[in-house]
Amino acid sequence: MNATTTAIRPTDRRTATVVMACLGVFVAYLPITTVAVSLPAIQRALHTSTAQLSWVQDAFVLPMAAFILTAGVFGDVHGRKKVFQAGLFLCAAGAAVALSAHNIQTLWAGQALAGLGSAALLPTTLALISHAVPDFRERGKFIGMWAMALLAALAVGPVIAGVILDHFAWRWIYLLSIPLALLVLAVAAPLLTDSRAPWGSPRSSGAESGGGRKLDWPGQITAAVAVTALVYGVIEGGADSFTAPKVVAALALSVAALIAFVVAEKRSASPMLDLAVFRSAAFTATALVALITFLGLIGFFFVLSLYFGMVQQLGTLEAGARLLLVPVAAIVSGTPAGRLMHRVPARWMITVGLLLIAGSLLAMTNLAVDTSYGSIAWRLIVLGMGLGLVTTPMTATAVAAVPHHLAGTASAANNAFRQVGGALGPAVLGALLSTRAVHTLPGHLADAGVTGTQAHTIVSTAEEGGLGAVAGMDLGSTAGQVYGALGDSLLDGLRLCLVVAATLAVLAAACAVVLLRQPKQQVTDGAATTGSAPRQGRPATIAENAQGGTAQPLGHRRA
C-alpha cells in the first residue's frame, strides 16, 4: 500500500477509489462519440475514403480490444494504480498527437495511442472497484456508477464536438482530453490505493504479491494478430472485395492466430485468459452479449453519424444533440439498474434491454431525408433505455461470475469482447453501408436524370473512393440531382445496417435467455455455509465473492 494509506479512513479510501475509477472510464470512452459525430468533418478536411474513415474509429478501438487483456495482467502483476496512471498518460499523449494531425496517417497514430491508454484504463478501473468493494452485493451499486460514467462520456462527446466544430477546426475536439487526463492523473497519485491480484492459493499469505503470475507473451501476440487481421480483412473486404488476395490472407491469418491463441492459453502456466472461466455460463453469456451488442451499437453510431452529416446535411452540434438522446436515456434507465439487480434477475433485465434496442433499430428503417427531429427522437430514447438496462447488469454479472480477486481478469476479458465488437462494428456496418449504397447508386442516378458518361464517372469514383469522394467532383448543373441520388443510396445502406444491427440485438437477447439461467452446479462450501444458493444468472462462484474470495477460482493452477 501507499504510505498515505494510514492517513485516510478505509471508507474515504474506497470513495476515492470509486471516484477515480469513474473518472478513468470517462476519459477512456470520451473519444468514441466525440470522434463519431466529427467523421463527416474529418472526411471533408482530409479527403478520405469510407474505408479510411472506418480506420479512424478502428485505430482507437483495435488497441483497446487487442491489449486490454494484457493491461489486466499488467495490473494484476505490477499494480493496478501504475497501469491506471500509465493509461491516463497514454490517453493524453494520443490526444496530443491527434490534435497536431494534418493527414489521416497521423490521426490514426494518435487514435491508436489513445486506444492503448483506454485499454489500460478499462480493466484496471473495474478491478480497483472490485478490490475496494469485495462484497459483490454492495459492489453492484458501484459498478452501476462506473457504467453511468461510461455512458456520460458517450453523452457529452457529441455536444463537445458540436460546439468545437461550430467555431474551430475538427482537430480541436481532442483538446479537452489532454488536461482532463492529466488532472485525473495528478489527483489519483496521492488518493488511489494500489492493489494486485493474488496468484497461487487464494488462502496463502502474501496473496497480494501476485507471485507466480507473469506476462503471457505468446497469448498476447496471437490475440493481437487475430483481432487486427480480422478487422483489417473486414474493412478492406468491404472497400474492395472479400475475394481479394490480401483480404483472404488477412482472414486466414486471423483464424490461424485464434487457434494459436487457444493452444497457447491451454499450455501456459500463467495464461492471459484462463479459458476455464468460460465454464461459467454467466461469464460466457455476458461475453457474447458484450461482443454482439457493441458490434451493432458502435456500428450504428458510425452509420447514423454519416446519415446526419451526409443525408440530412446537419451541422455537428445538431447531429450531436440527436445522438445525445441515446446515452442520456441510457443513464436515466441505467441508474436504478444496479439497485434492481438483486430483485430482478440479470437475465431478464438484459433480455428486455436488448429487445428494446432491436425494436428501436427496426423502427428507424423508415428514415428519410426529411425525417423530423421529433420523429427520430423517441426511437433514439427507446434505444438508450434499452442500452441502460443492458450495460450495468452485463458488467456486474461478468465481474461477479468469478471470485473477486480475479475481477481484473474477468473485467478485462468482458471489456475485450466488448471492444472487439466495437472494432468490428464500424468495419462490418461500414462495409455493408458502402456496398449497398454503391450498388443502388446507378439506379438512383438514373431516376434523377443523370445518365451516360457522367453517371459512369460518378459510380466509378464512388467505387474507388467511397460516396464522400463524389462530393469533391465538379458536378456542374446536375449537383442537386447527384446529391439527391447519393442521399437515397446512403439511405438504402443505412436501412440494411439497421436491420443487421437489430438482428444482432435479437441474437444477443437469445444468448442471454439461454445462458443466463439458474446454473445446475453444486453450491460451493462457502455458499453452503451461508445457506444461500446462487441467484439466477450467476454462477456458484459468486458465493465465493461473498466469502471474501476464498474459494478456488475457475481454472486455477497451483504452483
Side-chain angles (χ1 to χ4, degrees):
M1 287 196 175
N2 294 341
T4 57
T5 301
T6 56
I8 302 177
R9 292 178 300 174
T11 53
D12 294 336
R13 179 68 65 180
R14 185 177 72 173
T15 300
T17 299
V18 172
V19 171
M20 290 297 101
C22 290
L23 288 173
V25 76
F26 184 91
V27 171
Y29 265 79
L30 183 61
I32 292 180
T33 50
T34 307
V35 174
V37 298
S38 305
L39 291 175
I42 293 173
Q43 187 173 41
R44 289 191 297 269
L46 300 181
H47 309 291
T48 65
S49 67
T50 304
Q52 289 176 318
L53 203 63
S54 296
W55 276 110
V56 173
Q57 287 282 72
D58 283 322
F60 177 83
V61 180
L62 260 178
M64 292 175 72
F67 294 100
I68 199 168
L69 287 171
T70 296
V73 176
F74 260 100
D76 289 346
V77 175
H78 299 294
R80 291 155 183 159
K81 179 178 178 179
K82 298 182 183 68
V83 177
F84 178 82
Q85 292 173 312
L88 291 168
F89 177 79
L90 287 172
C91 283
V97 172
L99 180 63
S100 65
H102 290 276
N103 55 62
I104 193 66
Q105 290 78 18
T106 305
L107 179 58
W108 289 342
Q111 285 279 93
L113 197 57
L116 284 173
S118 296
L121 288 173
L122 288 174
T124 52
T125 50
L126 272 176
L128 285 167
I129 290 177
S130 295
H131 179 264
V133 189
D135 179 16
F136 83 94
R137 295 180 184 275
E138 187 180 12
R139 190 193 311 153
K141 176 178 66 176
F142 295 107
I143 289 180
M145 295 178 184
W146 178 92
M148 292 308 102
L150 183 157
L151 293 172
L154 297 179
V156 302
V159 177
I160 293 172
V163 171
I164 290 174
L165 290 177
D166 275 355
H167 300 90
F168 306 101
W170 64 267
R171 62 177 52 84
W172 294 103
I173 63 174
Y174 291 98
L175 181 61
L176 178 63
S177 294
I178 301 173
L180 180 61
L182 294 178
L183 178 62
V184 176
L185 177 62
V187 173
L191 292 181
L192 199 60
T193 302
D194 204 358
S195 66
R196 293 177 174 86
W199 201 251
S201 173
R203 292 188 175 92
S204 63
S205 61
E208 285 293 317
S209 67
R213 193 169 193 189
K214 57 184 179 180
L215 296 178
D216 175 23
W217 290 113
Q220 172 54 67
I221 293 171
T222 52
V225 170
V227 173
T228 304
L230 175 61
V231 176
Y232 174 84
V234 172
I235 290 179
E236 294 301 318
D240 186 3
S241 169
F242 281 96
T243 59
K246 63 179 181 180
V247 175
V248 173
L251 296 178
L253 176 61
S254 176
V255 173
L258 178 60
I259 294 172
F261 172 76
V262 172
V263 172
E265 297 308 274
K266 285 185 174 181
R267 293 182 176 180
S268 176
S270 181
M272 180 175 66
L273 175 60
D274 194 329
L275 301 179
V277 297
F278 291 100
R279 295 173 186 166
S280 163
F283 182 86
T284 302
T286 55
L288 289 174
V289 168
L291 172 68
I292 298 170
T293 302
F294 272 71
L295 192 160
L297 282 179
I298 300 300
F300 163 76
F301 276 115
F302 176 78
V303 298
L304 193 64
S305 68
L306 295 181
Y307 164 75
F308 286 139
M310 298 180 67
V311 177
Q312 292 201 324
Q313 299 292 310
L314 298 178
T316 308
L317 184 57
E318 292 177 289
R322 284 156 172 75
L323 289 174
L324 178 66
L325 293 173
V326 176
V328 167
I331 291 172
V332 172
S333 66
T335 298
R339 300 185 184 95
L340 290 174
M341 281 187 59
H342 305 301
R343 297 185 178 92
V344 180
R347 175 191 186 189
W348 298 120
M349 291 180 66
I350 293 172
T351 301
V352 170
L354 289 168
L355 292 179
L356 285 175
I357 291 172
S360 63
L361 291 170
L362 290 175
M364 280 186 272
T365 54
N366 64 350
L367 292 181
V369 175
D370 57 351
T371 300
S372 66
Y373 175 66
S375 179
I376 195 174
W378 71 266
R379 311 174 209 202
L380 294 176
I381 289 172
V382 171
L383 190 151
M385 291 176 62
L387 180 61
L389 289 176
V390 171
T391 303
T392 298
M394 177 178 67
T395 304
T397 302
V399 174
V402 297
H404 85 273
H405 59 273
L406 292 179
T409 300
S411 63
N414 186 262
N415 275 301
F417 278 95
R418 184 182 303 176
Q419 298 315 319
V420 169
L424 288 173
V428 172
L429 296 192
L432 289 173
L433 177 70
S434 296
T435 301
R436 178 65 175 167
V438 172
H439 177 73
T440 61
L441 181 57
H444 289 302
L445 287 172
D447 293 340
V450 180
T451 58
T453 304
Q454 185 183 27
H456 178 74
T457 302
I458 291 171
V459 173
S460 297
T461 302
E463 290 175 342
E464 294 176 6
L467 296 178
V470 178
M473 297 176 60
D474 182 9
L475 300 172
S477 60
T478 62
Q481 297 162 276
V482 173
Y483 290 146
L486 287 175
D488 291 336
S489 298
L490 274 169
L491 282 174
D492 289 336
L494 173 66
R495 293 183 185 111
L496 175 61
C497 290
L498 289 169
V499 171
V500 171
T503 303
L504 290 171
V506 172
L507 179 60
C511 290
V513 170
V514 172
L515 295 176
L516 283 177
R517 293 182 296 180
Q518 181 73 29
K520 297 179 180 179
Q521 59 189 63
Q522 292 183 343
V523 180
T524 61
D525 294 340
T529 302
T530 63
S532 61
R535 290 180 176 266
Q536 185 179 27
R538 299 182 178 89
T541 48
I542 291 181
E544 300 164 14
N545 289 335
Q547 299 300 318
T550 58
Q552 190 77 356
L554 287 170
H556 171 70
R557 292 177 171 85
R558 292 187 178 276

